Amino acid sequence: ISFDMGGTTAKCAIVEDGLVRTTDEYHVDGHPLRIPVIDISEVSAGGGTIAWIDAGGALSLGPQSAGADPGPVCYARRGVEPTVTDANLVLGRIAPGRFLGGAMPLDLAAAGRAIEDAIGLPLGLTRDNAAAGVIRLADVKMALAVRSITTERGLDPRDYSLVAYGGGGPLHAVAIARELGLPRVIVPPA
């Protein structure tokens, strides 16, 4: 199972015997296209996906994204809404001084304030518990995407390995694999 988590979305697809599965049903902006395409499941759970509190007071994630500009709060480029990347940083899953090989230091304090103000305080949670909630919700959304291309199509995810890549794929792959009972996670070195 290929698993790519980028800035705005997470995508997954099945590869068997070196061939990617395809489908002839695809939608673009709600319009069906009948052309052969790679069978990909996509969810709004990328690193820039914004965490927020819905009208009922529940933690929500996406579909809004901070995109690359302004990006997550921790990028210090005018982003103000907490994202999955901000939550990963707050929990110590990303080293603030080593992002992009140290070329782009991240603002841990700003990310922490954004998580605390927008998520923690409204839900009565500590900053770290609020960040953990954002990560857990992202992991669940991404696991559902993997289910949509496996169990919903009669495939057992336990028969596959998860190959994780992209900006955030390796950060979340083990949690997704555990959720689905996948026996192996592979993170390519390049």
Side-chain angles (χ1 to χ4, degrees):
I1 301 171
S2 67
F3 173 65
D4 173 14
M5 181 183 176
T8 57
T9 61
K11 302 171 198 65
C12 55
I14 297 288
V15 179
E16 289 181 309
D17 299 322
L19 299 174
V20 69
R21 284 187 171 236
T22 60
T23 183
D24 62 357
E25 293 185 26
Y26 190 69
H27 291 81
V28 175
D29 293 329
H31 302 287
L33 296 177
R34 290 283 190 182
I35 59 172
V37 295
I38 295 173
D39 191 6
I40 294 176
S41 179
E42 183 174 17
V43 292
S44 62
T49 302
I50 294 171
W52 53 286
I53 306 298
D54 70 14
L59 177 61
S60 296
L61 189 63
Q64 308 88 339
S65 176
D69 187 20
V73 174
C74 64
Y75 284 10
R77 293 184 179 161
R78 302 173 324 281
V80 295
E81 297 176 284
T83 67
V84 174
T85 296
D86 293 314
N88 273 313
L89 181 66
V90 165
L91 294 176
R93 296 165 50 124
I94 300 172
R98 295 183 59 196
F99 192 73
L100 294 178
M104 183 179 170
L106 300 179
D107 189 340
L108 174 60
R113 283 190 304 275
I115 294 282
E116 188 169 15
D117 292 349
I119 307 298
L121 292 174
L123 295 178
L125 299 172
T126 65
R127 180 195 72 173
D128 287 354
N129 284 340
V134 171
I135 297 304
R136 178 70 182 131
L137 185 53
D139 291 343
V140 167
K141 285 184 77 168
M142 292 182 283
L144 288 171
V146 173
R147 275 192 182 103
S148 76
I149 62 164
T150 55
T151 55
E152 290 181 17
R153 296 186 181 151
L155 303 173
D156 187 342
R158 297 172 297 184
D159 293 337
Y160 296 86
S161 297
L162 188 67
V163 180
Y165 51 95
L171 285 168
H172 296 266
V174 171
I176 293 164
R178 284 186 179 145
E179 178 89 14
L180 300 172
L182 290 154
R184 185 179 313 114
V185 171
I186 300 166
V187 179

